[in-house]
Amino acid sequence: MRLVIIGGPGAGKGTQAAMLSREFGIKSITTGDMFRSIQKRGCEEGMEIGRILSEGKLVPDDITIKAVGNELGLAKYGPGFILDGFPRTVPQADGLDAILASIGRGLDLVIDIEVDDEDMVRRLTGRMVCPECGLIFNRHNEGYPGDGACGACGVGLEARDDDNEETIRRRLKTYHTSTVPLKEYYSDRGLLHTYVSEGIIERTYANIIGALKARGII
Ligand code: AMP
């Protein structure tokens, strides 16, 4: 299974990638996590990436394509992969094509999770992440832990630095300018499956499973 998941910030790409990864035993690559872990190293490159992330901009294509290319070359992606948050620009999609061609592979499907802009803003301004296990909660949802601690490991939940309204709106703008053109790119190649999500995780997942079955991917 070789999948790409595209969608705006807060569309739920990571959640769906994690669910698919668990069910089918396929590793996912989350470029946002990859960059956040480089940022944490505190090296020169990490500081530069931290600046880009906090401004809601995209990491340059050459750096991103190289990082994903190196990762995809690892043996653990032999059985397949789920790309969560990559590609995000047309040059990145071309870069991915070149990487896959060099290893004699192609993509099976590109899942596009479409969410209304204001819903994305609402979701992201409420998003809280467990720094220990990565579980995601939302302050706007019923059942949000009153003590602000992760239900799984008890650690205090934190908001991401780039989940403030100003940066969220910049990320949304970047999404519309740079990532939305990928829909046509992949639609022209017969690879695009779009799902308009109202934010119900199980419904989105069921739709994706339906698309994978319809195409004989599972
Ligand atoms: P995410 O966790 O997917 O919201 O990504 C967080 C940030 O990481 C984005 O706002 C970008 O700054 C950066 N990033 C993630 N994926 C990419 C990508 N494919 N290309 C460039 N920058 C990216």
Side-chain angles (χ1 to χ4, degrees):
M1 181 190 294
R2 292 183 290 272
L3 303 180
V4 160
I5 306 183
I6 61 172
K13 303 182 293 292
T15 303
Q16 299 298 326
M19 289 167 81
L20 289 164
S21 172
R22 252 196 318 276
E23 181 155 351
F24 298 102
I26 299 288
K27 297 276 178 211
S28 62
I29 299 177
T30 301
T31 41
D33 285 348
M34 211 163 77
F35 291 136
R36 277 183 290 276
S37 71
I38 298 175
Q39 178 188 1
K40 278 194 197 128
R41 286 185 211 148
C43 56
E44 188 66 37
E45 189 193 12
M47 288 194 287
E48 177 55 25
I49 284 181
R51 272 191 293 276
I52 295 170
L53 265 62
S54 67
E55 286 169 6
K57 295 182 180 161
L58 292 179
V59 175
D61 286 335
D62 54 342
I63 297 177
T64 307
I65 294 165
K66 196 163 161 226
V68 174
N70 288 342
E71 184 70 20
L72 271 179
L74 302 177
K76 63 180 172 180
Y77 301 105
F81 54 79
I82 302 163
L83 294 174
D84 157 22
F86 177 91
R88 254 168 155 106
T89 66
V90 169
Q92 288 183 15
D94 286 336
L96 176 61
D97 264 2
I99 294 166
L100 293 178
S102 74
I103 51 176
R105 301 260 179 102
L107 285 176
D108 292 324
L109 191 64
V110 175
I111 297 155
D112 163 34
I113 307 177
E114 228 177 75
V115 175
D116 175 78
D117 278 10
E118 290 312 311
D119 284 349
M120 291 198 261
V121 173
R122 192 179 163 280
R123 279 192 210 177
L124 292 181
T125 50
R127 177 161 74 179
M128 299 294 283
V129 187
C130 173
E132 189 67 30
C133 69
L135 261 183
I136 296 171
F137 296 78
N138 201 299
R139 287 189 289 115
H140 302 321
N141 290 353
E142 262 180 57
Y144 180 73
D147 59 358
C150 174
C153 56
V155 173
L157 300 171
E158 295 173 359
R160 260 170 55 173
D161 287 346
D162 57 350
D163 278 348
N164 61 79
E165 186 160 350
E166 193 189 339
T167 310
I168 292 166
R169 294 214 178 265
R170 250 185 267 146
R171 286 157 64 202
L172 266 175
K173 210 167 157 200
T174 306
Y175 163 71
H176 284 287
T177 319
S178 304
T179 309
V180 166
L182 286 181
K183 296 188 191 205
E184 197 181 332
Y185 183 100
Y186 285 122
S187 167
D188 288 350
R189 288 162 173 74
L191 284 170
L192 191 74
H193 171 75
T194 296
Y195 177 68
V196 180
S197 158
E198 326 95 42
I200 300 161
I201 293 171
E202 294 73 21
R203 224 179 262 176
T204 307
Y205 190 66
N207 177 277
I208 294 172
I209 295 296
L212 293 173
K213 283 188 179 151
R215 290 177 182 242
I217 299 165
I218 54 173

